[in-house]
Amino acid sequence: MLVNPLVDGIEPLQPILWLLAVLSPGVTASDVTDRESRPCADCHAAIVQTFAVTRMAQGAEGEVFRREWMEQGTPEGCLVCHAPSGGAGLSCNDCHGRAGHPYPRLQVPDICARCHDAPGESTVRRFREHPAALQGKDCLDCHLPPGGAKAGHGFIGPSVAGFLDDVARLRLSLRHTPNDGALVLIRVSHRAGHALPGGTTGRAVWLTVSGLDAEGITVWRETVRYGWERHGENEWQDRTLPPGPPTSVEIALSTHRTMTRLRAELWYRFRAGDLDTPDPRARLLDAVELDLPSPAPADRR
């Protein structure tokens, strides 16, 4: 088990850099990554260059990973996927192996599942449930730019600007029942090839439904979180938005008499915590509004 440098009073360097400094003074994570990739760059310079700036190549240097890793006591198991060779992230050999050239063709998505189905992830397992998998598509169809692997290894995902554009849609309506009064019906659909969000336990998609008065002031709000849900110390339950058909949710409408309009928003968040936890990378996926009759349906008795 690695020692937490914050506990021991050591300067809180980036965790993986601290680890390397202990094991090999003067060596940085980037040094290790460069050393691993340098032989490949002799013939595949463009591929190495495009991969070097991806989140995968920097998997142990991201702020979110560093913070969560430190908070959990720097478990070595996390580094198996985030820094398998001891560098800043993945290197060529971590996926392609060390048997030497010519390397065998990678089997996608099986090779991706080694990390993306690790504890706390189900991205590839959920992909296999999607119609796209039955149609012969794989991870690279969405997560590589046009041109495929031969054009470069610039893997893209939610962290890349524009990647989440139009990925999800909301529909908002009302339903009236004799016993339940008025219900807000929300339908959430998405076009991701796997559950949304993909990735690890910290990410989540949040649905908020707000009641607004005539001045646009929020007088009522309900929220629903889609993501991994923690029970106890080590038990997690996958409550992400499944791939395929839309997900529907019903929420009892507030009886607040000043409400004139409903607004539903769908947010993608990278950082763990509730909606009050600051997340500068959070993205609004969609937002819809619905005018309420006057008086509000929930007030009719």
Side-chain angles (χ1 to χ4, degrees):
M1 185 67 182
L2 300 178
V3 180
N4 190 325
L6 294 178
V7 174
D8 283 0
I10 300 175
E11 182 69 14
L13 302 174
Q14 294 180 9
I16 194 62
L17 297 183
W18 166 81
L19 172 64
L20 289 165
V22 171
L23 299 179
S24 305
V27 177
T28 70
S30 297
D31 292 335
V32 174
T33 302
D34 290 344
R35 184 180 64 216
E36 289 280 313
S37 303
R38 193 174 299 120
C40 306
D42 291 340
C43 296
H44 303 286
I47 288 177
V48 171
Q49 289 170 4
T50 56
F51 181 71
V53 297
T54 65
R55 292 282 176 177
M56 291 176 66
Q58 302 168 8
E61 291 194 319
E63 176 197 354
V64 173
F65 170 76
R66 295 200 308 269
R67 182 179 59 252
E68 292 186 9
W69 191 59
M70 298 290 283
E71 290 173 351
Q72 295 178 26
T74 64
E76 291 180 274
C78 299
L79 302 180
V80 173
C81 286
H82 281 266
S85 297
L90 272 71
S91 67
C92 306
N93 291 333
D94 293 325
C95 291
H96 290 277
R98 301 176 183 275
H101 199 277
Y103 294 96
R105 181 180 180 84
L106 296 183
Q107 299 302 308
V108 178
D110 294 348
I111 188 66
C112 308
R114 294 193 317 189
C115 287
H116 291 287
D117 275 348
E121 271 223 45
S122 61
T123 305
V124 175
R125 290 198 300 273
R126 306 306 295 275
F127 164 74
R128 297 185 195 277
E129 302 172 9
H130 196 277
L134 301 178
Q135 297 168 5
K137 295 184 180 296
D138 62 37
C139 313
L140 305 184
D141 289 314
C142 291
H143 291 283
L144 275 186
K150 292 183 178 180
H153 278 34
F155 292 94
I156 55 177
S159 299
V160 175
F163 187 81
L164 290 174
D165 290 353
D166 301 320
V167 74
R169 281 286 177 263
L170 292 174
R171 289 188 63 182
L172 186 63
S173 60
L174 296 178
R175 182 167 73 87
H176 308 285
T177 65
N179 298 326
D180 298 327
L183 297 174
V184 184
L185 273 64
I186 308 100
R187 191 175 78 163
V188 186
S189 59
H190 71 86
R191 60 178 180 82
H194 45 70
L196 191 72
T200 56
T201 54
R203 295 184 185 181
V205 170
W206 284 82
L207 169 67
T208 68
V209 182
S210 304
L212 310 177
D213 65 15
E215 303 299 322
I217 298 173
T218 299
V219 296
W220 167 76
R221 189 176 80 158
E222 292 285 346
T223 63
V224 181
R225 181 184 183 277
Y226 297 101
W228 286 84
E229 187 175 282
R230 189 168 189 170
H231 301 278
E233 287 296 321
N234 299 308
E235 183 180 349
W236 292 83
Q237 187 170 4
D238 185 354
R239 294 189 177 276
T240 51
L241 286 163
T247 297
S248 296
V249 61
E250 294 182 345
I251 298 175
L253 183 63
S254 169
T255 58
H256 203 293
R257 292 182 177 275
T258 64
M259 287 198 318
T260 61
R261 191 166 76 256
L262 292 176
R263 178 176 174 85
E265 296 181 348
L266 197 66
W267 287 88
Y268 189 107
R269 288 176 54 87
F270 293 86
R271 185 168 183 176
D274 56 27
L275 284 172
D276 295 327
T277 303
D279 183 2
R281 298 168 62 200
R283 288 287 311 278
L284 179 63
L285 300 180
D286 196 20
V288 293
E289 294 191 357
L290 178 68
D291 289 330
L292 293 174
S294 182
D299 289 337
R300 294 176 180 171
R301 295 290 185 266

